Structure formats: structure tokens, C-alpha cells
Amino acid sequence: MRKTNTFTVSDIADFKNKVLHWAQSFDEIVWLDSNGHEDRYGAFDALLAVDGLTSLVTDVQNAFSDLKEYQEGIHDWIFGYLSYDLKNDIELLSSKNFDGLHFPELYFFQPKKIIRITGNTIDFIYLNMVGDEIDADFGTISRRKLPKKGGIQAANDIRIKLRTFKDDYFKRVAELLAHIHRGDIYEANFCQEFYAENTIIDSLRTYRKLNAISKAPFATFLKFQDKFLLSASPERYLKKKGNRIVSQPIKGTAKRATDPKMDAGLRSALKKDAKERAENIMIVDLVRNDLSKSAIKGSVRIEELCEVYSFEQVHQMISTVTAEVAENKNPVDIIRETFPMGSMTGAPKISAMRIIEVLEAFKRGLYSGAVGYFTPKGDFDFNVVIRSILYNASEKYVSYAVGGAITAKSVPEREYEECLLKAKAMREVLEG
């Protein structure tokens, strides 16, 4: 059982900074921040979970069955992540590419302490066993002195390396296009890794800098002992509230311009771009098919198709697909039947995943997976792990990856430029 105390604060930005700094003393942290974006499906402005009472850490084998048993048995809030390579638990697939990060494939924990921020209202939602700490923690957070602002602290200069060089990227895209022209697939999300070895970063400072640049609606700071995710994700994978599920795939990207007139032109051009619209519509069809596995027959709907939204560094084309599910439908089963998200795989989905596994030069792991939570009622909300920095502090390994949809109309040079655009914020944060 949990108890809740509610407080109000006048300076919400200051409180958010203090509460995230306070959380750093715990080994388990999930921080989710909407950064003020208006989201008709949103339930809070920010949500923090810390200090695990119980947890589930597992590899691929029977991962979803283990998660289902854990979620049903705990019947409480649980927070965590699903790695992309859980595809191997769903289909006859494998992941044999290089892995420099060594994150577990699945990790969830039951937090002793949850802090929910909505407007200027702060809800402290604590397990009864630590409920007497609510007032003390609020006082500690409110009085906390933040460290002076500064750059990222590193033990050495950060030198970003490419796992796939430009010429090799073009060669691999050409192989993908050959598969498309043969009819094996008609779209695939092809990704590449940028990394740094023997590197130490200040994870919280790095996240703050990335978040300041991007201000993404599904920003995440995750800490699992010595492993960190610093995410500026703009994309929702899947949300469930009651018997309604919502997916909001992104396909289609354009750069921003400082000149308002030029920026409006770039936004308009993206909206009309036939190739980008085709990419988005292909994935919408895939998502509709995925949701139909869980949905009540005839309930899948497209609420938005190819709408353009503007973020700090890019314009994005986003669609919204919804469906209704039976009240007794298990939430983990819904995720299993739609995972991995269509925007990060391709179509047909299984063929695309098999082909990109051969052509990509790294194991995706948590990149293009999902981070989020389940509520005691079985509702959930998960993002897509993109525009993110991953860090294994013990192995001193830093990684970020980017990708794009390859279709029959793709021009390798343009696809490579789009990857660099998506990578810009992460590289600036690490090298700047």
C-alpha cells in the first residue's frame, strides 16, 4: 500500500532541478519529463521513481513471461525498460552484433518513492514502509543547494568514433535497397552507432545539457546502478489508459532554421514531401496491424496522419493510431504483441528485423527499445529510446545511435545527412 502527500511550489523549474539532483543518491532512478509540451494523452509534467524494493532483471529468454508474472504479482507501480533485442523472445531472431554497453535486456523495479509533478502540484507517493519520510524528503529537496553550473566533467577528452564509416554506410544502404527492389521488404529502419571508449562523463550534467538543447516531450534520465540512459526522445511508443491504447509513430524529419520565414518553409516542405509521407504511412499501416492483434475488432482508428510538429532542433512528421482493448486484456501481452515499435523496424516487420540485423554493425540493446511504467491498475506509457546517450560507467563506454527509414525512393547521401542531423545534439553535448 502507498500513501500520498501533496505539496505546492511556486518555482516548478527550480523544484525539478532539485528533485533530480536529490535522486542521484539512489541506485535505481527513472525520471520522465514532458518539458512543458502539450500532450492530450499526458498524465503529468514530470514523474520520478527511485529506490527499488523489488526488481526484475533478465535476458531475452522468456522475458515477457517473466515480466507478466512480475507485473501481475507486484500489482503496484513498476518502472523500467525493454531493450530492442527482446524481439528475440517474440520471433525466431537473434542478436550477434558487437555490444559495448552490456545492459540487461529487460529491467523493471518497484520504487519505494514516486514523485509526480503536475503544474505546481507535487504528489509524493510512497510505500507505507517509508511513508514517514515524505515530509522530511520534501524539506530536504526544497532546501537543497544546487551545484554551480558548469560543463560536462570528463576524465579525458571525448573522442567520438564511427562504428560504420560513410562509404560502408552507402554500401550497406545499397544492399538494403537491393532487398527492397527484390520485394523482400519495402521499408527498413537502418541505424548506425557513434561511440567513445575509455571515457568518463558526469551523467546528470550531460542529461541536463542534452535536455536544454532538445526539450523533448518524452525526455528520460534512467540510472540502473552503473548504467545510464540520457534521452531526449520525441516519440511515444505505446500508452494504455483504461481500455484505450495509443501509438504515435514518427517518420519524417526536417531541420530547423533560425529565420522564421525559412523555418516555416522547411516545415511546409516536410508536410508535402511525398517520400516522407510514404514512409510515415507505411509505418502507420504496420502499427495498425500490430494494434489489431490486441484490439477489439473494428476499433483501430487513425486520429492523425502525417501531422508535422516542431521541436527545438527538428520538425517531425507524427501520426496517431488508437484502438480499444478488452478490459481483461493483460497489459504485458499488449506490449508483446506490438514490440518492437514499427517506426524502428520496417515492413514487413519480421523480414525487416532479420535483414537489418545482418547489415547493422552494432547490437541496438536499449537504443530503439522503450522506457516507461505500469500503474497498479495495469495502465502504462512507454517512449521510444531515440536521440539518446547510453553510458556504462564501469566499462567507461559511451554510445549514441541514429537511423532512418530506407525505402525504394531513398537517396543514400540524403539518408546519411539525416542521420547526422539527428546525431547533432548528442555530439554537441559530448564534444562541446
Side-chain angles (χ1 to χ4, degrees), residues 251-396:
K251 270 288 164 278
T253 304
K255 64 182 179 181
R256 300 292 308 267
T258 54
D259 177 77
K261 187 174 180 179
M262 186 179 296
D263 192 56
L266 291 167
R267 179 188 172 108
S268 178
L270 175 60
K271 178 75 174 175
K272 298 173 184 176
D273 191 303
K275 173 186 171 293
E276 302 284 11
R277 290 181 66 87
E279 287 181 9
N280 195 290
I281 291 167
M282 286 180 197
I283 296 305
V284 167
D285 284 342
L286 191 158
V287 170
R288 288 172 62 196
N289 182 66
D290 280 351
L291 295 191
S292 70
K293 298 173 188 175
S294 300
I296 295 170
K297 188 175 180 179
S299 70
V300 179
R301 297 282 186 273
I302 300 174
E303 287 197 355
E304 287 183 313
L305 185 63
C306 299
E307 290 296 326
V308 176
Y309 289 82
S310 299
F311 300 95
E312 292 295 308
Q313 292 203 322
V314 293
H315 300 294
Q316 300 275 199
M317 189 178 286
I318 305 176
S319 293
T320 300
V321 187
T322 65
E324 306 295 322
V325 296
E327 289 188 10
N328 62 349
K329 182 71 176 178
N330 182 272
V332 176
D333 286 341
I334 296 171
I335 291 174
R336 188 185 187 280
E337 289 165 354
T338 60
F339 194 84
M341 58 292 301
S343 62
M344 296 306 294
T345 54
K349 192 173 185 178
I350 298 172
S351 296
M353 288 191 293
R354 187 173 288 116
I355 290 167
I356 59 182
E357 184 67 37
V358 172
L359 293 176
E360 290 180 351
F362 74 110
K363 180 182 176 183
R364 289 194 187 181
L366 183 48
Y367 169 71
S368 72
V371 172
Y373 62 90
F374 293 88
T375 73
K377 294 181 178 180
D379 291 339
F380 59 74
D381 200 1
F382 284 85
N383 71 2
V384 179
V385 179
I386 53 176
R387 320 292 163 81
S388 301
I389 297 168
L390 290 154
Y391 176 46
N392 185 320
S394 295
E395 299 192 21
K396 300 179 183 178

Side-chain angles (χ1 to χ4, degrees), residues 81-282:
Y81 70 74
L82 308 155
S83 77
Y84 170 80
D85 296 288
L86 292 177
K87 63 183 175 58
N88 306 336
D89 185 41
I90 302 169
E91 307 292 347
L92 292 174
L93 300 169
S94 62
S95 299
K96 298 178 181 178
N97 289 328
F98 173 80
D99 178 13
L101 286 162
H102 305 297
F103 278 48
E105 305 294 3
L106 181 149
Y107 167 64
F108 279 85
F109 73 99
Q110 176 192 17
K112 295 178 185 176
K113 304 178 180 184
I114 301 169
I115 298 176
R116 181 174 58 210
I117 301 172
T118 310
N120 291 89
T121 301
I122 315 297
D123 294 320
F124 280 59
I125 308 167
Y126 281 31
L127 286 173
N128 282 345
M129 61 188 296
V130 292
D132 57 353
E133 299 175 18
I134 293 177
D135 290 336
D137 282 345
F138 178 74
T140 299
I141 294 166
S142 299
R143 294 189 299 270
R144 195 168 194 88
K145 299 294 184 183
L146 293 173
K148 293 181 180 180
K149 292 183 179 180
I152 300 168
Q153 302 300 307
N156 49 284
D157 292 335
I158 297 176
R159 300 179 184 275
I160 303 297
K161 301 177 182 179
L162 287 72
R163 182 71 55 196
T164 305
F165 290 97
K166 190 174 182 178
D167 289 346
D168 196 21
Y169 175 89
F170 291 158
K171 179 182 176 182
R172 292 171 191 243
V173 170
E175 291 184 52
L176 266 176
L177 288 170
H179 280 287
I180 292 170
H181 295 146
R182 280 201 302 267
D184 301 331
I185 52 174
Y186 50 90
E187 179 172 1
N189 191 283
F190 180 62
C191 302
Q192 58 177 312
E193 182 193 24
F194 300 80
Y195 67 99
E197 300 169 297
N198 193 30
T199 297
I200 298 172
I201 64 172
D202 183 319
S203 57
L204 181 57
R205 285 182 184 268
T206 306
Y207 167 76
R208 288 192 192 282
K209 191 171 180 181
L210 179 64
N211 194 49
I213 291 173
S214 303
K215 295 184 175 67
F218 298 99
T220 302
F221 179 94
L222 180 146
K223 175 186 177 184
F224 167 43
Q225 297 176 358
D226 60 343
K227 299 171 182 67
F228 297 85
L229 167 71
L230 323 171
S231 178
S233 173
E235 184 173 358
R236 170 178 277 125
Y237 156 46
L238 195 63
K239 178 183 175 72
K240 175 182 178 291
K241 185 174 182 181
N243 69 337
R244 185 179 181 84
I245 55 176
V246 181
S247 183
Q248 295 180 293
I250 291 179
K251 270 288 164 278
T253 304
K255 64 182 179 181
R256 300 292 308 267
T258 54
D259 177 77
K261 187 174 180 179
M262 186 179 296
D263 192 56
L266 291 167
R267 179 188 172 108
S268 178
L270 175 60
K271 178 75 174 175
K272 298 173 184 176
D273 191 303
K275 173 186 171 293
E276 302 284 11
R277 290 181 66 87
E279 287 181 9
N280 195 290
I281 291 167
M282 286 180 197

